[in-house]
Amino acid sequence: MPPKKAKKKKKSKKELQAELERQQEELRKAEEEERKRREEEERRAEEENKRRQEEEHHRRSEEAARLEVEDKSLSQWHAERREQLKRLDTMLHREEEWKKYIACNPRPDPSIEKELTAYITSLTESEHKTLEETMHACQVTEEIVIDLLKVLAEARESADVAKTEWCFDYLKQLRDLVEYKLDAATADVLQHADEHTNSKNEVQTAAATEHLKLGVWANLATKGFRIKTIDFADLKVTTELPKPLALQILGVRCLFTQFDAVSFLHHCRDYPLGGVFRVELLTLPPQPKRVKGWVMRQITSLSSSIQKIPYPSTDSAASTSTHQPVRVSFHLPEHVLMIEEKPRVALWDSRNIRWSEDGVQEVKFDKSTRIVSLQAARLAPMAVVQDRYRDFPYAEWLLKPIGDRKARLTLQGRRFPVVFEILENGIQLISPAAGFEELKSIRGQVMAPGLLLQALFRTGINLLPDDRDADFLIDQNITLKDSEAEERAYLDISIILPVFTVASSKFNQSRNREKALFRIRETIDYTVKDDSEDAADWQSVLYHSNKCSFVSSNDKDDLCDESIPSGDETHAILEICLRDRCSPEAMSRIKETGNIRFQETVRRTLRMLRLLSFC
């Protein structure tokens, strides 16, 4: 048997107590050491944080002082620039006045309120004997509206909010006046309908101008008629009345305006293309009585104004399902771009202030004749519509100098690229070209930025984003940029453009609203074609409301690096940032080729396109 193990001596109570005290002491010492270590780490961290705060405070103080000095030194430059622009505007306005004078243009100057109000008063008080005279007066008014739209474009280019609102106020007054005059002329036709009846005891008359088409039809028969197609062939407009109207003695007015007088004051999701078409049922005035060669004609409120009959009898969308639809067709103007096979047609919903496709059926479009036909469950202003954000947000953009006072802007929209050439005296559309015959009247025409973009808007290419459009693009995560940061960036781009290509950055929209990011690269030789993303000399520039700087961001990376490269600083304008970044030749050419008219054209173009907020 193996020997028995000796029993371990049991510790006494005193020994156990001593061991416990020893362990507690060791634990206390360890905790004390840990506490001291943590305190030391916290002290060092606090000192490091304090050092960083002091450095940041020092940096911010230096930056603030530097920006203040730069802003003060630039204040005289800004004042001189404003004075130059004022002189330029005066010169251009005089040129326009001279052109108007030698053209013997009798229309009032829409930029002068006194002339506008005098015209409105005169037209309101004037009386026109025939429908043709009224239509001519309304066409003249529309030509004044077109002149006023030039003033509006100028106001929007200049970001003049007060002038923009002023223009819209007078646009409404002129549009309302046109409608008032057309109503009075329609009432006069119906008041004397008996003088123009045919063998079927019907009246049908029409008149048209460049921007207006109006047809009036009336049934004076006391007996009902079958389903009736009313064809205004000269207007390229037809409507077919359904059976519920067969027993009624009534009038019908078909009115087509190549402008939107219905929703232009409302920023709706959709907007009309080519104008607005209306089919309206009208109450006929009492018919005259003929006694012994005398004609006794009652004078009522319907003698000078019209009374519209709703169809169906209420404006409720729910009631339309029990009524027969009205068949209509109208001609879509040649300038409207129609890419889709079938256009969207909508009715104006006055209750909810929007264009609605509810109640519209069997929409067809004949491309050869440009006739739009449909069935409408209710009568309301109708139009071919398109969502106003069809062409933005932009995927990318590139602005490249191609001469001392010439640049090319390529903008990748949601449907197709759009290319502009920016010149000293305006911009022109270069493409789309092939297959876009609707744009031939404006392609290659040099216009002010606002006028060209308004013309594109009317064709169906909307490149005029508004802050309110971001509400319709929630799924696109639009980051609207600080207006001061945008304005500062657009001005600086216009100044450096003669020797720098400027491009969008894929990281811009992921920056917060106080930051706007884009890229630049030096372009001394205008013949160089390489604008690829792989070019090594792209540099990223970050803008705030009061400063800008180069940053380390590279669009080839997955993440954006906003750190300022070593040796760089923030400055009030980009030109100062470039002094140690670009070649002496580039800096020299920025100063030598600077032209305030070209710079202002560039700045206004970028401002209206909102490149930094919608790309």
Side-chain angles (χ1 to χ4, degrees):
M1 290 182 62
K4 293 183 178 180
K5 291 183 179 181
K7 290 185 178 180
K8 193 173 182 180
K9 187 178 178 181
K10 188 176 181 182
K11 291 182 180 182
S12 66
K13 187 175 181 181
K14 186 176 181 181
E15 288 174 332
L16 289 172
Q17 180 64 30
E19 184 176 349
L20 177 61
E21 290 176 355
R22 179 180 56 78
Q23 292 175 348
Q24 290 177 340
E25 179 63 17
E26 290 176 353
L27 180 61
R28 186 190 64 77
K29 288 181 179 180
E31 289 176 345
E32 179 66 15
E33 289 176 0
E34 178 63 20
R35 182 185 64 78
K36 289 180 178 180
R37 186 187 65 78
R38 286 199 304 267
E39 287 179 351
E40 179 64 17
E41 286 183 353
E42 289 174 0
R43 183 187 65 78
R44 288 178 180 176
E46 187 176 342
E47 288 180 353
E48 178 65 17
N49 186 50
K50 184 177 180 181
R51 182 186 65 79
R52 289 178 179 176
Q53 286 182 347
E54 289 175 350
E55 287 181 352
E56 179 64 15
H57 177 72
H58 181 67
R59 186 192 68 79
R60 288 180 179 273
S61 297
E62 281 190 338
E63 180 184 67
R66 180 174 64 253
L67 294 176
E68 183 180 4
V69 170
E70 290 176 357
D71 283 336
K72 284 183 178 179
S73 67
L74 290 168
S75 60
Q76 181 63 29
W77 177 82
H78 283 295
E80 291 175 357
R81 180 183 175 82
R82 285 192 295 270
E83 190 59 33
Q84 280 184 283
L85 289 173
K86 186 176 179 180
R87 290 197 297 269
L88 178 62
D89 288 342
T90 300
M91 181 191 72
L92 295 176
H93 186 67
R94 286 174 178 171
E95 288 179 359
E96 286 298 318
E97 285 183 328
W98 175 247
K99 289 178 183 178
K100 181 179 176 181
Y101 175 76
I102 61 177
C104 300
N105 187 344
R107 295 194 300 269
D109 185 340
S111 65
I112 302 175
E113 186 167 18
K114 184 178 180 180
E115 292 190 22
L116 265 184
T117 54
Y119 174 80
I120 291 172
T121 300
S122 173
L123 183 58
T124 303
E125 295 175 351
S126 64
E127 292 185 4
H128 301 94
K129 297 180 179 179
T130 65
L131 177 60
E132 288 72 19
E133 287 182 5
T134 301
M135 292 289 285
H136 174 72
C138 290
Q139 175 61 31
V140 171
T141 304
E142 181 56 25
E143 290 167 3
I144 295 171
V145 165
I146 293 172
D147 292 339
L148 182 56
L149 288 174
K150 295 179 182 178
V151 180
L152 174 61
E154 167 72 20
R156 295 177 72 177
E157 285 179 11
S158 307
D160 189 336
V161 176
K163 190 68 173 180
T164 298
E165 292 176 350
W166 180 90
C167 288
F168 274 110
D169 178 60
Y170 274 97
L171 279 173
K172 184 178 186 309
Q173 291 187 51
L174 291 168
R175 298 292 197 208
D176 288 348
L177 183 54
V178 166
E179 185 153 346
Y180 167 76
K181 285 295 181 179
L182 292 177
D183 286 352
T186 303
D188 185 70
V189 169
L190 296 178
Q191 176 75 1
H192 299 87
D194 59 296
E195 298 175 2
H196 308 286
T197 57
N198 58 24
S199 59
K200 297 179 181 180
N201 214 15
E202 297 172 1
V203 176
Q204 183 167 325
T205 185
T209 66
E210 182 181 355
H211 297 97
L212 295 161
K213 297 178 181 180
L214 187 145
V216 180
W217 176 92
N219 168 44
L220 306 182
T222 56
K223 295 182 179 180
F225 56 93
R226 296 180 178 180
I227 295 178
K228 175 67 180 178
T229 297
I230 305 170
D231 183 8
F232 294 101
D234 292 343
L235 307 184
K236 297 182 181 179
V237 165
T238 65
T239 183
E240 187 175 290
L241 299 180
K243 290 181 180 179
L245 303 175
L247 299 177
Q248 298 185 37
I249 299 176
L250 46 70
V252 176
R253 179 171 74 171
C254 293
L255 174 62
F256 185 84
T257 59
Q258 273 198 31
F259 50 82
D260 172 22
V262 176
S263 63
F264 74 102
L265 292 178
H266 306 289
H267 198 82
C268 305
R269 179 181 292 269
D270 297 310
Y271 76 97
L273 297 180
V276 176
F277 180 52
R278 307 184 214 186
V279 176
E280 298 164 325
L281 305 181
L282 306 176
T283 300
L284 294 182
Q287 294 304 299
K289 294 181 181 180
R290 299 180 183 274
V291 180
K292 296 181 180 180
W294 290 86
V295 179
M296 293 182 288
R297 199 180 302 276
Q298 294 186 48
I299 303 300
T300 67
S301 61
L302 295 178
S303 301
S304 57
S305 62
I306 60 174
Q307 183 179 70
K308 299 174 186 177
I309 304 171
Y311 183 83
S313 57
T314 66
D315 198 26
S316 170
S319 68
T320 60
S321 60
T322 61
H323 291 76
Q324 292 184 14
V326 178
R327 296 178 182 271
V328 299
S329 69
F330 58 90
H331 178 259
L332 190 65
E334 304 295 333
H335 68 267
V336 177
L337 185 63
M338 189 52 58
I339 298 177
E340 292 77 9
E341 285 297 319
K342 185 175 73 172
R344 292 172 55 214
V345 178
L347 305 176
W348 179 244
D349 182 348
S350 58
R351 181 174 301 171
N352 297 302
I353 312 180
R354 65 187 182 96
W355 291 100
S356 171
E357 294 177 76
D358 294 342
V360 178
Q361 309 170 40
E362 298 187 18
V363 177
K364 297 177 183 178
F365 178 61
D366 187 325
K367 288 189 175 182
S368 62
T369 62
R370 298 187 67 85
I371 295 295
V372 179
S373 59
L374 64 136
Q375 293 185 13
R378 63 185 179 91
L379 289 182
M382 62 188 73
V384 172
V385 297
Q386 178 176 276
D387 54 78
R388 63 174 57 248
Y389 49 86
R390 192 73 178 86
D391 294 294
F392 59 81
Y394 315 119
E396 59 184 5
W397 54 270
L398 180 78
L399 179 59
K400 182 178 180 178
I402 55 176
D404 288 344
R405 299 177 185 178
K406 185 186 294 186
R408 180 159 292 193
L409 173 61
T410 302
L411 188 62
Q412 182 59 56
R414 297 178 71 181
R415 292 186 290 178
F416 41 73
V418 181
V419 180
F420 297 102
E421 198 167 273
I422 306 178
L423 307 168
E424 182 179 347
N425 60 333
I427 68 174
Q428 60 180 334
L429 178 70
I430 304 299
S431 72
F436 289 78
E437 290 301 309
E438 297 91 341
L439 304 178
K440 63 183 179 181
S441 64
I442 58 176
R443 190 185 301 112
Q445 299 294 318
V446 179
M447 308 181 202
L451 287 179
L452 180 55
L453 294 174
Q454 279 185 358
L456 284 174
F457 180 84
R458 288 192 292 273
T459 69
I461 302 176
N462 181 17
L463 302 177
L464 291 167
D466 185 285
D467 282 358
R468 294 167 291 183
D469 292 321
D471 296 335
F472 305 137
L473 295 164
I474 297 176
D475 60 327
Q476 300 288 330
N477 297 316
I478 299 298
T479 303
L480 298 173
K481 301 302 179 177
D482 177 84
S483 59
E484 292 186 14
E486 272 195 280
E487 285 296 312
R488 186 178 289 267
Y490 297 150
L491 176 57
D492 282 0
I493 290 172
S494 73
I495 292 171
I496 69 164
L497 184 57
V499 288
F500 278 89
T501 296
V502 189
S504 56
S505 169
K506 71 178 185 179
F507 296 118
N508 177 54
Q509 278 294 304
S510 61
R511 304 305 91 196
N512 63 40
R513 73 177 307 273
E514 285 76 27
K515 301 173 182 178
L517 183 68
F518 58 88
R519 298 171 298 143
I520 65 173
R521 65 179 302 206
E522 192 171 306
T523 308
I524 298 294
D525 185 356
Y526 299 140
T527 63
V528 173
K529 303 296 184 181
D530 182 19
D531 295 315
S532 68
E533 294 294 331
D534 296 328
D537 53 350
W538 283 110
Q539 303 176 78
S540 295
V541 184
L542 185 67
Y543 270 76
H544 300 259
S545 62
N546 64 335
K547 61 186 178 182
C548 63
S549 68
F550 285 102
V551 292
S552 302
S553 173
N554 189 321
D555 268 33
K556 292 187 290 184
D557 296 337
D558 294 329
L559 298 175
C560 180
D561 183 357
E562 289 187 17
S563 64
I564 299 176
S566 177
D568 283 299
E569 294 178 318
T570 57
H571 290 287
I573 59 173
L574 183 55
E575 186 180 343
I576 301 176
C577 296
L578 287 169
R579 287 174 183 173
D580 297 323
R581 276 272 185 166
C582 67
S583 66
E585 182 184 359
M587 289 302 300
S588 175
R589 285 179 60 177
I590 287 175
K591 297 183 183 300
E592 291 173 0
T593 59
N595 175 277
I596 193 168
R597 190 172 182 184
F598 175 68
Q599 292 171 0
E600 191 64 6
T601 302
V602 172
R603 183 167 75 112
R604 292 184 175 202
T605 301
L606 303 183
R607 173 190 284 156
M608 298 201 74
L609 292 170
R610 300 293 303 278
L611 296 183
L612 292 175
S613 278
F614 287 87
C615 181

